[in-house]
Amino acid sequence: MASVAASPSTRPQGPPGLIVMKSRKRRFFRWRFLVLAALFVLLAMAICLRVAVQRAEPILRTRVIETLKTRFKSRVELAELHVSVMKGLQVSGSGLQIYGATDPNPHQPGVQPLLEVAEFDFRTPLRDLFREPMRVHTVHVRGLTLNIPPRENRAEMANARKHSKMSIAVDEFRCEETRLVINTLKPGKLPLEFNISLLKMKDIGPGLPFQFDATLINPKPVGDIHSVGEFGPLNELEPRQTAVEGTYSFTNADLGTIRGIGGILSSTGKYGGTLGRIEVDGQTDTPNFRIAVSGHPVPLHTDFNAIVDGTDGDTYLQPVRARFLHTAFTASGKVVKTDQQHGRDIELTVSLNRALIEDLLRLGVRTEPPIMTGPVEMKTRLSLPPGHADIAERLRLDGSFRVPDGHFTNVKLQDRIDSLSLRSQGKPKEAKLPNPEDVTTDLQGQFNLSAGVLSFSALHFRIPGTDADMTGKYSLDGETFDFHGKLKLKAKLSQMTTGWKSILLKPVDPFFHKDGAGAELPFKISGTKDEPHFGLDLGHRDESRDGSRAREASAK
């Protein structure tokens, strides 16, 4: 059998184990080279991508501006725009301003933009870039100002919306420091502004309303408002016709930020309608409501129905039902802007059918205890014009009242009323007895409140044996009484006293016997709450009689 010699190329170069180790080593170096090469490629791609993005930012910024210009057919400014694709698509920017064909707010110097955004940013997965439309979950905005043009110039907003196509769908907007300004061209009428600290809106579909969750700080009275509801879709030509509905809570409202009153108010309610006519049903509670001139806190609760014009803030109350202490009343009227100065003018008609005079005096008068107690009926017109003075100085009342069973808490004054009642009935001896029986007073009249002073143009006072008609003034701080009038007494003067005084007065009885009364005497109440003076007023001129005589003289 012939033998064949092995060639050098096929002959093993060493032991088998060594050959395997060399083979594995070659494969390891090969894979390490491939991994390193891939890492270098990825790094190069990342660097290239970053450079590309950096170079693309100015191009993208220019295209965004051009797109917005085309959409709104007006000037657009965008200070900064940054794009990152490291963790999905991230876009941020600042200084966005979109202008209209006309200045939406002529009350401010310079040309104001329709929309202004201080800062914005959003993020979306890269896969959503290729959806139609591109979808963004949340857009964060800070410092948003939306200037709604005057009614005459709103057509451009509608046209821009009509001819544009939405290429980006946003699930939620989260806006901080939002300001909505609704402008007007009416002379002397300022724009209506809404300042919202936090506003979250969800887009639930084209042509459907936004769902919103808003938090804002009310400027006066200062307090926190939280509201949840739906708004829109916005009617650009007639914003007043835009639908709105929701619920609200108003908490920690410090009434002390309004000069002249105090207390912490809370309110809850619901609303609905259109922006131009929002119907509100709600209630308020102020456990420590007070008027500064009196300083006496009382628990105040109200239930109200109101119509609010959301475009100018004018409010029409119909009605308000309120109660404090043992008193209830109703009020209806309006709270509207005025052209003369900042603030709102309050005009109300107030009716009290179940009330106590001591509750009213405790609320509005510093005197403690209240000078009078008893049930009261009242109807008055209330006017509170805007201004910087305290409410007590600005408040005006004009109405009528009746206290059918009043009792004076001042012992000196009530004792004199009791004594007068007995003497005017011809019972002078009983009037001298200690602790005569208290009598109640029937008091009614016409009154006017202005600059913290109550003026009575017609005041009728009645107790057993005595009728009185008088006029006068009473300051809300309780420091001044000044009343003058006439007493019509059932008894004659001589019958009001005893002994020698009675004998001396009999000759003068005929001089004071008038109009069927036993006697008619001028009287006055003056002094202060601590030292009231009640007595005859022989030196006081009868101004009404003097006026009648003057008119008669001029007629002759």
Side-chain angles (χ1 to χ4, degrees), residues 17 20 24 70 97 109-110 129 160 188 208 220 257 272 285 301 314 348 369 393 448 452 478 491 506:
V20 172
R24 289 179 177 176
T70 301
Q97 294 180 326
L129 289 175
L208 297 176
K220 187 177 288 189
T257 55
D285 281 288
H301 175 86
D314 289 351
L348 300 176
E393 295 295 320
N448 177 272
K506 282 187 177 181

Side-chain angles (χ1 to χ4, degrees), residues 392-541:
E393 295 295 320
R394 293 184 284 125
L395 180 64
R396 299 189 182 99
L397 300 176
D398 187 6
S400 61
F401 77 99
R402 185 186 179 195
V403 182
D405 294 298
H407 181 270
F408 291 96
T409 58
N410 184 284
V411 177
K412 292 181 180 180
L413 183 55
Q414 185 63 42
D415 285 347
R416 295 196 176 222
I417 295 293
D418 298 339
S419 176
L420 173 62
S421 176
L422 291 170
R423 291 179 182 277
S424 64
Q425 295 178 77
K427 303 175 182 179
K429 292 182 180 180
E430 296 182 24
K432 294 181 179 181
L433 296 176
N435 301 320
E437 181 181 355
D438 285 350
V439 298
T440 59
T441 300
D442 186 345
L443 190 65
Q444 57 184 308
Q446 306 287 327
F447 68 92
N448 177 272
L449 172 65
S450 181
V453 176
L454 271 169
S455 301
F456 297 88
S457 58
L459 191 61
H460 185 70
F461 170 91
R462 176 181 293 175
I463 57 176
T466 301
D467 282 339
D469 290 297
M470 54 186 159
T471 60
K473 295 181 179 180
Y474 172 53
S475 61
L476 294 184
D477 59 11
E479 294 298 327
T480 303
F481 292 81
D482 186 20
F483 291 92
H484 301 268
K486 290 182 178 180
L487 291 174
K488 292 183 179 181
L489 310 174
K490 183 178 181 181
K492 297 178 181 180
L493 290 181
S494 61
Q495 296 172 332
M496 296 180 64
T497 186
T498 59
W500 61 271
K501 291 182 180 180
S502 176
I503 297 173
L504 291 177
L505 288 173
K506 282 187 177 181
V508 301
D509 280 345
F511 295 99
F512 292 94
H513 181 70
K514 297 179 181 179
D515 300 328
E520 182 177 295
L521 297 171
F523 79 103
K524 64 180 178 181
I525 303 176
S526 59
T528 67
K529 66 180 186 299
D530 297 320
E531 291 293 333
H533 302 292
F534 185 93
L536 295 178
D537 191 21
L538 298 176
H540 184 70
R541 296 177 60 185

Side-chain angles (χ1 to χ4, degrees), residues 40-59:
F40 278 116
V41 170
L42 291 175
L43 179 61
M45 290 177 62
I47 294 174
C48 293
L49 183 60
R50 182 170 182 81
V51 172
V53 168
Q54 289 179 343
R55 293 185 177 182
E57 283 182 356
I59 300 174

Side-chain angles (χ1 to χ4, degrees), residues 204 208-212 227-232 243-247 271 273:
I204 58 178
L208 297 176
F210 280 102
Q211 292 180 342
F212 67 85
S227 182
V228 177
E230 293 185 352
F231 177 82
V244 60
E245 67 174 339
T247 60
Y271 55 89

Side-chain angles (χ1 to χ4, degrees), residues 61-306:
R61 175 179 171 275
T62 300
R63 289 191 177 182
V64 168
I65 292 175
E66 291 300 325
T67 300
L68 293 175
K69 280 183 178 180
T70 301
R71 174 175 178 177
F72 290 96
K73 300 179 181 179
S74 60
R75 180 164 60 99
V76 175
E77 295 182 2
L78 180 60
E80 295 182 2
L81 182 69
H82 303 289
V83 180
S84 173
V85 293
M86 300 303 294
K87 296 181 180 180
L89 176 66
Q90 300 178 66
V91 179
S92 63
S94 63
L96 174 62
Q97 294 180 326
I98 301 175
Y99 293 81
T102 58
D103 186 359
N105 190 344
H107 298 276
Q108 295 292 329
V111 178
Q112 303 299 310
L114 288 173
L115 184 144
E116 183 175 7
V117 177
E119 298 176 1
F120 66 89
D121 68 82
F122 67 87
R123 177 186 299 174
T124 187
L126 289 174
R127 63 177 181 275
D128 287 347
L129 289 175
F130 306 100
R131 299 177 62 178
E132 183 61 35
M134 188 182 83
R135 181 164 294 277
V136 176
H137 176 63
T138 303
V139 173
H140 297 269
V141 175
R142 189 184 67 79
L144 169 65
T145 299
L146 181 61
N147 261 306
I148 304 294
R151 180 178 180 180
E152 295 81 356
N153 301 330
R154 288 171 187 160
E156 59 178 296
M157 293 184 67
N159 290 334
R161 184 181 180 94
K162 181 177 179 180
H163 294 100
S164 64
K165 293 183 179 180
M166 177 63 71
S167 58
I168 301 177
V170 179
D171 295 331
E172 180 179 355
F173 288 90
R174 185 180 179 89
C175 308
E176 299 178 15
E177 302 174 18
T178 300
R179 188 167 70 104
L180 174 64
V181 183
I182 300 178
N183 296 283
T184 178
L185 292 180
K186 293 183 179 179
K189 194 168 186 180
L190 296 175
L192 181 65
E193 294 191 17
F194 298 90
N195 293 294
I196 305 173
S197 59
L198 178 60
L199 174 63
K200 293 183 287 185
M201 297 186 297
K202 291 185 178 181
D203 187 359
I204 58 178
L208 297 176
F210 280 102
Q211 292 180 342
F212 67 85
D213 186 330
T215 302
L216 61 150
I217 298 177
N218 193 63
K220 187 177 288 189
V222 174
D224 302 320
I225 297 178
H226 180 237
S227 182
V228 177
E230 293 185 352
F231 177 82
L234 178 65
N235 186 327
E236 292 92 345
L237 291 178
E238 290 290 343
R240 291 172 55 89
Q241 301 303 317
T242 302
V244 60
E245 67 174 339
T247 60
Y248 78 91
S249 63
F250 188 17
T251 57
N252 300 318
D254 184 4
L255 299 181
T257 55
I258 302 175
R259 293 187 61 180
I261 62 174
I264 302 299
L265 175 145
S266 62
S267 178
T268 58
K270 61 181 181 179
Y271 55 89
T274 62
L275 193 58
R277 191 181 189 279
I278 305 173
E279 185 170 356
V280 185
D281 287 293
Q283 62 181 13
T284 71
D285 281 288
T286 311
N288 55 348
F289 178 76
R290 62 189 178 276
I291 297 176
V293 70
S294 68
H296 299 146
V298 300
L300 175 64
H301 175 86
T302 68
D303 297 286
F304 65 89
N305 174 265

Side-chain angles (χ1 to χ4, degrees), residues 294 296 361-362 365-371 409 477 529-530:
S294 68
H296 299 146
L361 294 174
R362 185 178 298 278
V365 180
R366 190 174 295 277
T367 308
E368 181 64 35
I371 191 173
T409 58
D477 59 11
K529 66 180 186 299
D530 297 320

Side-chain angles (χ1 to χ4, degrees), residues 8-21:
S9 60
T10 59
R11 188 182 301 127
Q13 298 299 316
L18 181 61
I19 296 173
V20 172
M21 291 179 62

